[in-house]
Every structure is written in structure tokens, then in C-alpha cells.
């Protein structure tokens, strides 16, 4: 079964490795163009391209997948199936229905929940206790295709988006191979999604990063870990952005009295910040222009004192 693989970020790399290691002929790898990345803005290839080149696979990087020239290139590869994992562009019908076995997608949620671009971040930010991976047959909707295989995983209390991302990427690769094997055997049954149960995971915005200290400590805890390691939750201190990477909850559910949300109430062995309900203990932060630091190291170089109000 000849395979074209379409993917771009780190999430897609385990699936590409799994296909090659399992002996599937990957006749082409399609990924996004090289783009500026990092502080220096240096042009860098996406992770999938790097992996493909290490394995000696041919790489295509169209600016627009709808271009006739690219679609003709794709047609010439004579793929039996296209595997898609976080590619980054919406596929037109001319691609979706090109291979005889269609296009299958690895989606990091239990569809129909969390359709969309940011299912991992949104699941943690919303305090979910469970998520998973869905292998689906793609159609023209936004993650609306029939489900081929699905497997759930628990979201642990200490998971951040990075930890969960890596776990789901490995599970996605494993589940993909199971789906392809069942497909070859003719034993793969598809089932429609229940649209009435659908929820959405829209792309993250700058507003999602802002810490609103009036919210409950539990909600902020989920927000902060759901944005770690990218893009990071942020507040302000002395006119600079202060990213908050890691926290713990203290006094959950207890009303905060005598202080205002965002106010530092202790800055000794730990930094306690009042929220709308309960307190957060800051454990790892990053001041604008600086590095991520454990709070003890941060306090050695910065005078963060009780009475300070963050977010102003």
C-alpha cells in the first residue's frame, strides 16, 4: 500500500517513523514550507521535513495545496492512501478523494469532542480528565469524518500540554498502524460521528495567554499548564511581561479575604498570589527578556515583595 504522508510539527514525526519502520512504502512526504523560527528569526525546516530527509524520503513543500501544479505532483505519486497528521492546511476535495483508500487523519482528541486546531491545549485548559486519539477518514468538514479507530488516555493532574502532546503523538503512531493493518485485512469498520456531541478547539489567541487573577486558582492552574511549553501564560510586573510556567494550588475553594486578586501575599520560601478563589504558589517564571527560572532563583535577582499586584 503506497502512502503519501502529510504533516508538519513534532506531533507528526512518530507517525512518519512508524510507517517507515513498519515497511510501508512512503512515496512522498508533504509538509509546510521552511519558515523563520525562534528569537533570531532564522529560516528553519519543519520537524517532519527534517525527519523525512534523515530517512531519505522525497519531500514536497507547496505554499498552497490547492495549486494545480501540486495536485498533479500528488497524482503522479500514485498513492493508495494519504495519511495526515497536523499538516496545517485544509485539503480540497481534489486531494481528499484522490487516493483509492482516501485520506486518514490522526487527531489528538476523542472526536467529536475538541474538533479543531488546538485539542491538546484546550482539553487541559478546560480541566478535562480524559482525552485520546482518533483515526478518522477525512471529508470536507472540520474534523467531521467517520471514525476508524479511537483510544482514550487519562490526563494526569500534573500533565502540561507538552507532556500530553508527546504521549498522544506516540499513541497516534501506534493507532495508525493498527488502522492500516485492519484496512488491509478488510476488517476496519467506520462509524459516523455524533454531531450533537461536538465541541470545538479553536486556535489559541493572545487573549488565551492572559492570566485573569479574578478567576479561581483551579481554573488558572489548568490554563497555565495547558499553555506550557508553548505559548505560555502571561501577566505583568513592573511594566514587563511575566510568563508563569509552573504553579501549585493552595487553599483551593477558599474565598480570598483582605487582598485583591493578583496580589502577592508571601514571597519567602514560596511566592503566594491571591486569585478569585484560593491561591497559586509560583514555581517557575520568566521575566520579559530573561530565561525560565525556578522561583527561588528568580527571587535572588528580583525584588518581588508582598503587596505587589501582578497584572497591572
Amino acid at each position: 500500500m503506497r502512502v503519501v504522508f502529510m504533516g508538519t510539527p513534532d506531533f507528526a514525526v512518530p507517525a512518519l517513523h512508524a510507517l517507515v519502520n513498519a515497511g510501508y512504502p512512503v512515496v512522498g512526504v508533504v509538509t509546510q514550507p521552511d519558515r523563520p523560527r525562534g528569537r533570531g528569526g532564522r529560516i528553519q525546516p519543519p520537524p517532519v521535513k527534517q525527519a523525512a530527509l534523515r530517512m531519505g524520503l522525497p519531500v514536497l513543500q507547496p505554499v498552497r495545496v490547492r495549486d494545480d501544479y501540486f495536485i498533479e505532483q500528488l497524482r503522479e505519486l500514485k498513492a493508495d492512501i494519504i495519511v495526515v497528521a497536523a499538516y496545517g492546511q485544509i485539503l480540497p476535495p481534489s486531494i481528499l478523494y484522490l487516493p483509492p483508500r482516501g485520506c486518514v487523519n490522526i487527531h489528538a482528541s476523542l472526536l467529536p469532542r475538541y474538533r479543531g486546531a488546538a485539542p491538546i491545549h484546550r482539553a487541559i485548559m478546560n480541566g478535562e480528565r480524559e482525552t485520546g486519539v482518533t483515526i478518522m477518514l477525512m471529508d470536507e468538514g472540520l474534523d467531521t469524518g467517520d471514525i476508524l479507530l479511537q483510544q482514550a488516555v487519562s490526563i494526569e493532574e500534573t500533565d502540561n500540554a507538552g507532556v500530553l502532546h508527546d504521549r498522544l503523538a506516540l499513541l497516534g503512531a501506534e493507532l495508525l498502524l493498527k488502522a492500516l493493518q485492519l484496512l488491509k485485512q478488510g476488517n476496519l469498520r467506520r462509524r459516523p460521528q455524533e454531531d450533537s456531541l461536538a465541541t470545538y478547539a479553536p486556535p489559541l489567541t493572545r487573549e488565551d495567554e492572559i492570566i485573569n487573577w479574578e478567576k479561581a486558582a483551579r481554573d488558572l492552574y489548568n490554563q497555565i499548564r495547558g499553555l506550557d511549553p508553548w505559548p505560555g501564560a502571561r501577566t505583568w510586573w513592573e511594566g514587563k511581561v511575566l510568563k508563569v510556567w509552573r504553579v501549585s494550588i493552595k487553599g483551593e475553594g477558599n474565598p480570598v479575604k483582605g487582598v485583591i486578586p493578583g496580589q502577592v501575599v508571601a514571597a519567602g520560601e514560596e511566592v503566594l498570589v491571591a486569585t478569585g478563589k484560593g491561591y497559586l504558589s509560583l514555581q517557575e517564571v520568566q521575566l520579559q527578556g530573561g530565561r525560565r527560572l525556578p522561583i527561588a532563583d528568580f527571587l535572588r535577582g528580583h525584588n518581588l515583595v508582598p503587596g505587589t499586584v501582578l497584572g497591572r
Side-chain angles (χ1 to χ4, degrees):
M1 186 159 55
R2 292 166 63 87
V3 178
V4 163
F5 184 84
M6 301 182 73
T8 299
D10 289 314
F11 179 83
V13 173
L16 179 57
H17 278 293
L19 286 170
V20 172
N21 292 339
Y24 285 95
V26 178
V27 296
V29 174
V30 183
T31 190
Q32 293 287 320
D34 299 357
R35 291 196 170 98
R37 302 177 192 277
R39 288 188 176 182
R42 189 163 54 93
I43 300 294
Q44 297 183 45
V48 162
K49 178 181 179 179
Q50 297 178 46
L53 293 179
R54 285 194 297 268
M55 291 184 280
L57 301 174
V59 175
L60 299 173
Q61 293 180 277
V63 175
R64 294 178 69 255
V65 292
R66 295 175 178 273
D67 288 345
D68 292 340
Y69 175 71
F70 168 70
I71 293 173
E72 184 57 34
Q73 285 182 301
L74 208 54
R75 184 176 289 109
E76 290 174 359
L77 294 175
K78 295 181 170 56
D80 298 301
I81 194 169
I82 294 176
V83 173
V84 183
Y87 172 60
Q89 291 189 47
I90 295 174
L91 304 188
S94 53
I95 292 177
L96 290 173
Y97 306 118
L98 177 62
R101 293 185 180 269
C103 297
V104 298
N105 177 253
I106 306 170
H107 189 77
S109 82
L110 297 175
L111 292 172
R113 292 180 58 76
Y114 291 100
R115 293 172 175 173
I120 298 174
H121 296 86
R122 297 290 182 187
I124 295 179
M125 292 169 71
N126 290 342
E128 299 285 1
R129 300 294 183 87
E130 183 182 72
T131 186
V133 169
T134 301
I135 307 297
M136 71 168 184
L137 185 64
M138 298 176 71
D139 62 15
E140 296 174 47
L142 177 63
D143 299 327
T144 55
D146 288 353
I147 294 170
L148 303 177
L149 278 183
Q150 201 168 59
Q151 185 170 326
V153 298
S154 296
I155 300 178
E156 304 299 333
E157 173 73 12
T158 56
D159 282 346
N160 62 23
V163 169
L164 185 59
H165 167 281
D166 293 349
R167 190 185 307 147
L168 294 180
L170 293 175
L171 176 59
E174 177 185 331
L175 213 57
L176 172 67
L177 293 186
K178 289 181 181 179
L180 294 182
Q181 184 62 30
L182 290 170
L183 187 63
K184 287 195 297 183
Q185 296 169 353
N187 295 325
L188 191 60
R189 296 183 178 180
R190 48 196 280 189
R191 60 183 174 89
Q193 295 187 37
E194 295 185 48
D195 290 339
S196 62
L197 301 178
T199 62
Y200 292 89
L204 296 174
T205 68
R206 295 287 288 173
E207 292 300 313
D208 290 316
E209 302 171 26
I210 298 172
I211 298 173
N212 178 358
W213 294 103
E214 294 183 357
K215 292 184 177 180
R218 170 62 57 178
D219 294 335
L220 295 179
Y221 174 76
N222 291 335
Q223 176 191 5
I224 289 164
R225 67 193 183 106
L227 297 174
D228 181 11
W230 181 88
R234 57 190 169 93
T235 187
W236 288 268
W237 178 53
E238 295 186 341
K240 292 185 177 181
V241 172
L242 180 70
K243 288 204 171 186
V244 180
W245 291 109
R246 196 160 48 87
V247 296
S248 61
I249 301 173
K250 297 294 177 72
E252 183 176 5
N254 296 332
V256 175
K257 298 180 180 179
V259 291
I260 62 175
Q263 186 171 339
V264 177
V265 299
E269 294 182 359
E270 64 178 352
V271 173
L272 280 183
V273 183
T275 73
K277 187 177 288 185
Y279 299 85
L280 287 183
S281 174
L282 306 188
Q283 297 180 346
E284 187 176 9
V285 298
Q286 181 180 11
L287 190 61
Q288 184 176 336
R291 296 180 294 113
R292 288 178 64 152
L293 293 173
I295 195 63
D297 293 344
F298 181 81
L299 290 176
R300 278 194 279 271
H302 301 89
N303 191 30
L304 183 60
V305 297
T308 301
V309 179
L310 301 177
R312 293 183 172 179

